[in-house]
């Protein structure tokens, strides 16, 4: 597709509910994440990772607000890639 999809923190749960992270690693701090959030990720078959930022083609996923700048830069980079393709 020609879209960039991005989520940070709790927004990753939306990706899991939409089956967009099935069998993909998602950045999560398991020590601070709440059980309902972890259940959503489990139901969506996401694989938990301790990375801060993960990028799969046009899917950008950030652990939490502590990496907001790197997350935003990654989103911009991915958008730039698809605009250069056209």
């Amino acid at each position: 597709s020609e879209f960039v999809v991005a989520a940070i923190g709790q927004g990753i749960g939306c990706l899991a509910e939409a089956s967009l992270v099935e069998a993909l690693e998602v950045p999560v701090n398991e020590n601070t994440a709440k059980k309902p959030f972890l259940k959503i990720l489990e139901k969506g078959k996401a694989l938990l990772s301790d990375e801060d930022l993960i990028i799969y083609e046009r899917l950008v996923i950030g652990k939490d607000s502590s990496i907001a700048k790197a997350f935003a830069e990654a989103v911009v980079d991915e958008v730039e890639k698809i605009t250069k393709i056209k």
Side-chain angles (χ1 to χ4, degrees), residues 12-17 19-28 30 37-49 54 56 59 61:
I12 300 168
C14 294
L15 299 180
E17 288 184 337
S19 301
L20 294 176
V21 291
E22 185 173 330
L24 296 179
E25 288 187 339
V26 297
V28 175
E30 290 184 70
F37 177 64
L38 293 174
K39 290 272 187 199
I40 290 169
L41 298 180
E42 182 181 333
K43 186 177 177 186
K45 300 179 183 171
L47 307 173
L48 305 184
S49 169
I54 297 177
Y56 297 104
L59 178 62
I61 312 167

Short mmCIF file of all heavy atoms in Angstrom, two decimals, residues 12-17 19-28 30 37-49 54 56 59 61:
data_model
loop_
_atom_site.label_atom_id
_atom_site.label_comp_id
_atom_site.label_asym_id
_atom_site.label_seq_id
_atom_site.Cartn_x
_atom_site.Cartn_y
_atom_site.Cartn_z
N ILE A 12 -0.23 0.82 20.12
CA ILE A 12 0.16 -0.47 19.56
C ILE A 12 -0.98 -1.47 19.71
O ILE A 12 -1.17 -2.35 18.87
CB ILE A 12 1.45 -0.99 20.22
CG1 ILE A 12 2.60 -0.01 19.99
CG2 ILE A 12 1.81 -2.37 19.69
CD1 ILE A 12 3.82 -0.28 20.84
N GLY A 13 -1.79 -1.30 20.75
CA GLY A 13 -2.95 -2.17 20.95
C GLY A 13 -3.92 -2.09 19.78
O GLY A 13 -4.52 -3.10 19.40
N CYS A 14 -4.07 -0.92 19.19
CA CYS A 14 -4.95 -0.76 18.02
C CYS A 14 -4.42 -1.57 16.84
O CYS A 14 -5.20 -2.18 16.11
CB CYS A 14 -5.07 0.70 17.63
SG CYS A 14 -5.89 1.72 18.85
N LEU A 15 -3.10 -1.58 16.68
CA LEU A 15 -2.52 -2.38 15.60
C LEU A 15 -2.78 -3.86 15.84
O LEU A 15 -3.08 -4.61 14.90
CB LEU A 15 -1.01 -2.14 15.51
CG LEU A 15 -0.54 -0.72 15.20
CD1 LEU A 15 0.98 -0.67 15.16
CD2 LEU A 15 -1.12 -0.22 13.90
N ALA A 16 -2.68 -4.28 17.09
CA ALA A 16 -2.93 -5.69 17.43
C ALA A 16 -4.39 -6.05 17.18
O ALA A 16 -4.68 -7.11 16.62
CB ALA A 16 -2.56 -5.96 18.89
N GLU A 17 -5.30 -5.16 17.56
CA GLU A 17 -6.73 -5.43 17.35
C GLU A 17 -7.08 -5.46 15.86
O GLU A 17 -8.02 -6.13 15.46
CB GLU A 17 -7.58 -4.42 18.09
CG GLU A 17 -7.54 -4.64 19.59
CD GLU A 17 -8.44 -3.72 20.37
OE1 GLU A 17 -8.79 -2.63 19.88
OE2 GLU A 17 -8.81 -4.12 21.50
N SER A 19 -5.11 -6.73 13.66
CA SER A 19 -4.29 -7.83 13.12
C SER A 19 -3.14 -7.36 12.25
O SER A 19 -2.75 -8.04 11.30
CB SER A 19 -5.18 -8.82 12.35
OG SER A 19 -6.17 -9.35 13.19
N LEU A 20 -2.58 -6.21 12.57
CA LEU A 20 -1.48 -5.66 11.78
C LEU A 20 -0.10 -6.05 12.32
O LEU A 20 0.91 -5.75 11.68
CB LEU A 20 -1.58 -4.14 11.70
CG LEU A 20 -2.78 -3.61 10.93
CD1 LEU A 20 -2.83 -2.09 11.01
CD2 LEU A 20 -2.73 -4.06 9.48
N VAL A 21 -0.06 -6.66 13.51
CA VAL A 21 1.24 -7.03 14.09
C VAL A 21 1.33 -8.52 14.40
O VAL A 21 2.19 -8.95 15.15
CB VAL A 21 1.54 -6.19 15.36
CG1 VAL A 21 1.80 -4.74 14.99
CG2 VAL A 21 0.43 -6.30 16.38
N GLU A 22 0.46 -9.29 13.78
CA GLU A 22 0.49 -10.74 14.01
C GLU A 22 1.85 -11.31 13.60
O GLU A 22 2.32 -11.06 12.49
CB GLU A 22 -0.62 -11.41 13.21
CG GLU A 22 -0.74 -12.88 13.49
CD GLU A 22 -1.94 -13.53 12.82
OE1 GLU A 22 -2.96 -12.85 12.62
OE2 GLU A 22 -1.84 -14.72 12.49
N ALA A 23 2.48 -12.01 14.53
CA ALA A 23 3.80 -12.64 14.34
C ALA A 23 4.92 -11.62 14.12
O ALA A 23 5.99 -11.97 13.63
CB ALA A 23 3.76 -13.65 13.21
N LEU A 24 4.68 -10.35 14.47
CA LEU A 24 5.72 -9.33 14.39
C LEU A 24 6.12 -8.91 15.80
O LEU A 24 5.29 -8.91 16.71
CB LEU A 24 5.21 -8.10 13.64
CG LEU A 24 4.84 -8.26 12.18
CD1 LEU A 24 4.34 -6.94 11.61
CD2 LEU A 24 6.02 -8.78 11.37
N GLU A 25 7.38 -8.52 15.96
CA GLU A 25 7.81 -7.99 17.24
C GLU A 25 7.30 -6.57 17.42
O GLU A 25 7.29 -5.78 16.48
CB GLU A 25 9.34 -7.98 17.32
CG GLU A 25 9.94 -9.35 17.46
CD GLU A 25 11.43 -9.31 17.72
OE1 GLU A 25 12.08 -8.29 17.41
OE2 GLU A 25 11.94 -10.31 18.23
N VAL A 26 6.84 -6.29 18.64
CA VAL A 26 6.40 -4.94 18.99
C VAL A 26 7.16 -4.50 20.24
O VAL A 26 7.39 -5.30 21.14
CB VAL A 26 4.88 -4.85 19.20
CG1 VAL A 26 4.12 -5.18 17.93
CG2 VAL A 26 4.41 -5.75 20.34
N PRO A 27 7.56 -3.23 20.28
CA PRO A 27 8.33 -2.75 21.43
C PRO A 27 7.42 -2.48 22.63
O PRO A 27 6.51 -1.67 22.56
CB PRO A 27 8.96 -1.45 20.92
CG PRO A 27 8.06 -0.99 19.84
CD PRO A 27 7.44 -2.21 19.25
N VAL A 28 7.67 -3.18 23.72
CA VAL A 28 6.85 -3.05 24.92
C VAL A 28 7.73 -3.19 26.15
O VAL A 28 8.59 -4.07 26.20
CB VAL A 28 5.75 -4.15 24.96
CG1 VAL A 28 4.98 -4.09 26.26
CG2 VAL A 28 4.82 -4.03 23.78
N GLU A 30 7.55 -4.67 29.32
CA GLU A 30 6.71 -5.63 30.04
C GLU A 30 6.61 -5.32 31.53
O GLU A 30 5.62 -5.67 32.17
CB GLU A 30 7.22 -7.05 29.84
CG GLU A 30 7.01 -7.56 28.43
CD GLU A 30 7.43 -9.00 28.29
OE1 GLU A 30 6.73 -9.88 28.85
OE2 GLU A 30 8.45 -9.26 27.63
N PHE A 37 -3.52 -4.40 28.46
CA PHE A 37 -2.77 -4.07 27.24
C PHE A 37 -2.00 -5.29 26.74
O PHE A 37 -2.04 -5.61 25.54
CB PHE A 37 -1.82 -2.90 27.53
CG PHE A 37 -0.93 -2.52 26.37
CD1 PHE A 37 -1.48 -2.02 25.20
CD2 PHE A 37 0.44 -2.65 26.46
CE1 PHE A 37 -0.67 -1.66 24.13
CE2 PHE A 37 1.27 -2.28 25.41
CZ PHE A 37 0.71 -1.79 24.25
N LEU A 38 -1.35 -5.99 27.64
CA LEU A 38 -0.60 -7.18 27.25
C LEU A 38 -1.53 -8.26 26.69
O LEU A 38 -1.17 -8.98 25.76
CB LEU A 38 0.21 -7.72 28.43
CG LEU A 38 1.34 -6.81 28.91
CD1 LEU A 38 1.97 -7.36 30.18
CD2 LEU A 38 2.38 -6.60 27.83
N LYS A 39 -2.74 -8.35 27.23
CA LYS A 39 -3.73 -9.32 26.73
C LYS A 39 -4.12 -8.99 25.29
O LYS A 39 -4.29 -9.88 24.47
CB LYS A 39 -4.97 -9.35 27.62
CG LYS A 39 -4.75 -9.94 28.98
CD LYS A 39 -4.97 -11.42 28.92
CE LYS A 39 -4.90 -11.97 30.34
NZ LYS A 39 -4.67 -13.38 30.36
N ILE A 40 -4.30 -7.70 25.01
CA ILE A 40 -4.65 -7.28 23.64
C ILE A 40 -3.53 -7.69 22.68
O ILE A 40 -3.80 -8.21 21.59
CB ILE A 40 -4.88 -5.76 23.58
CG1 ILE A 40 -6.19 -5.40 24.31
CG2 ILE A 40 -4.92 -5.26 22.14
CD1 ILE A 40 -6.37 -3.92 24.54
N LEU A 41 -2.29 -7.46 23.09
CA LEU A 41 -1.16 -7.84 22.24
C LEU A 41 -1.09 -9.35 22.06
O LEU A 41 -0.83 -9.83 20.96
CB LEU A 41 0.15 -7.31 22.83
CG LEU A 41 0.27 -5.80 22.95
CD1 LEU A 41 1.62 -5.42 23.56
CD2 LEU A 41 0.08 -5.11 21.61
N GLU A 42 -1.36 -10.08 23.13
CA GLU A 42 -1.36 -11.54 23.06
C GLU A 42 -2.45 -12.04 22.11
O GLU A 42 -2.21 -12.89 21.26
CB GLU A 42 -1.56 -12.12 24.45
CG GLU A 42 -1.54 -13.64 24.49
CD GLU A 42 -1.78 -14.18 25.90
OE1 GLU A 42 -1.47 -13.49 26.88
OE2 GLU A 42 -2.30 -15.31 25.99
N LYS A 43 -3.62 -11.46 22.25
CA LYS A 43 -4.74 -11.85 21.37
C LYS A 43 -4.42 -11.54 19.90
O LYS A 43 -4.81 -12.28 19.01
CB LYS A 43 -6.02 -11.13 21.81
CG LYS A 43 -7.25 -11.57 21.08
CD LYS A 43 -8.49 -10.88 21.61
CE LYS A 43 -9.71 -11.28 20.81
NZ LYS A 43 -10.90 -10.53 21.21
N GLY A 44 -3.70 -10.44 19.67
CA GLY A 44 -3.31 -10.06 18.32
C GLY A 44 -2.08 -10.80 17.82
O GLY A 44 -1.58 -10.53 16.73
N LYS A 45 -1.58 -11.74 18.64
CA LYS A 45 -0.44 -12.59 18.29
C LYS A 45 0.84 -11.81 18.01
O LYS A 45 1.66 -12.19 17.19
CB LYS A 45 -0.79 -13.50 17.12
CG LYS A 45 -1.96 -14.42 17.44
CD LYS A 45 -2.32 -15.30 16.28
CE LYS A 45 -3.54 -16.14 16.65
NZ LYS A 45 -4.08 -16.84 15.51
N ALA A 46 0.98 -10.67 18.73
CA ALA A 46 2.20 -9.88 18.62
C ALA A 46 3.30 -10.52 19.47
O ALA A 46 3.01 -11.16 20.49
CB ALA A 46 1.94 -8.46 19.11
N LEU A 47 4.52 -10.37 19.04
CA LEU A 47 5.67 -10.86 19.78
C LEU A 47 6.30 -9.67 20.51
O LEU A 47 6.58 -8.64 19.90
CB LEU A 47 6.69 -11.48 18.82
CG LEU A 47 6.14 -12.56 17.88
CD1 LEU A 47 7.20 -12.96 16.88
CD2 LEU A 47 5.65 -13.75 18.68
N LEU A 48 6.51 -9.80 21.81
CA LEU A 48 7.02 -8.69 22.60
C LEU A 48 8.53 -8.55 22.47
O LEU A 48 9.26 -9.54 22.44
CB LEU A 48 6.63 -8.86 24.06
CG LEU A 48 5.14 -9.06 24.33
CD1 LEU A 48 4.88 -9.11 25.83
CD2 LEU A 48 4.29 -7.99 23.67
N SER A 49 8.98 -7.31 22.38
CA SER A 49 10.41 -7.01 22.24
C SER A 49 10.78 -5.89 23.20
O SER A 49 9.95 -5.03 23.51
CB SER A 49 10.69 -6.57 20.81
OG SER A 49 11.99 -6.03 20.70
N ILE A 54 10.69 -0.09 16.34
CA ILE A 54 10.76 -1.15 15.35
C ILE A 54 10.07 -0.66 14.08
O ILE A 54 8.98 -0.10 14.14
CB ILE A 54 10.11 -2.45 15.86
CG1 ILE A 54 10.87 -2.97 17.09
CG2 ILE A 54 10.06 -3.51 14.76
CD1 ILE A 54 10.27 -4.20 17.73
N TYR A 56 8.90 -1.99 10.23
CA TYR A 56 8.69 -3.04 9.23
C TYR A 56 8.14 -2.35 8.01
O TYR A 56 6.99 -1.90 8.00
CB TYR A 56 7.64 -4.07 9.70
CG TYR A 56 8.02 -4.84 10.92
CD1 TYR A 56 7.46 -4.54 12.15
CD2 TYR A 56 8.91 -5.90 10.85
CE1 TYR A 56 7.78 -5.26 13.28
CE2 TYR A 56 9.24 -6.63 11.97
CZ TYR A 56 8.67 -6.31 13.19
OH TYR A 56 8.99 -7.02 14.30
N LEU A 59 5.48 0.23 8.46
CA LEU A 59 4.87 0.13 9.79
C LEU A 59 5.90 0.56 10.83
O LEU A 59 6.96 -0.05 10.96
CB LEU A 59 4.42 -1.31 10.04
CG LEU A 59 3.79 -1.63 11.39
CD1 LEU A 59 2.51 -0.84 11.59
CD2 LEU A 59 3.51 -3.12 11.47
N ILE A 61 6.64 1.41 14.84
CA ILE A 61 6.10 1.12 16.16
C ILE A 61 7.10 1.57 17.22
O ILE A 61 8.24 1.12 17.23
CB ILE A 61 5.82 -0.39 16.33
CG1 ILE A 61 5.06 -0.95 15.12
CG2 ILE A 61 5.03 -0.65 17.61
CD1 ILE A 61 5.03 -2.47 15.08
#
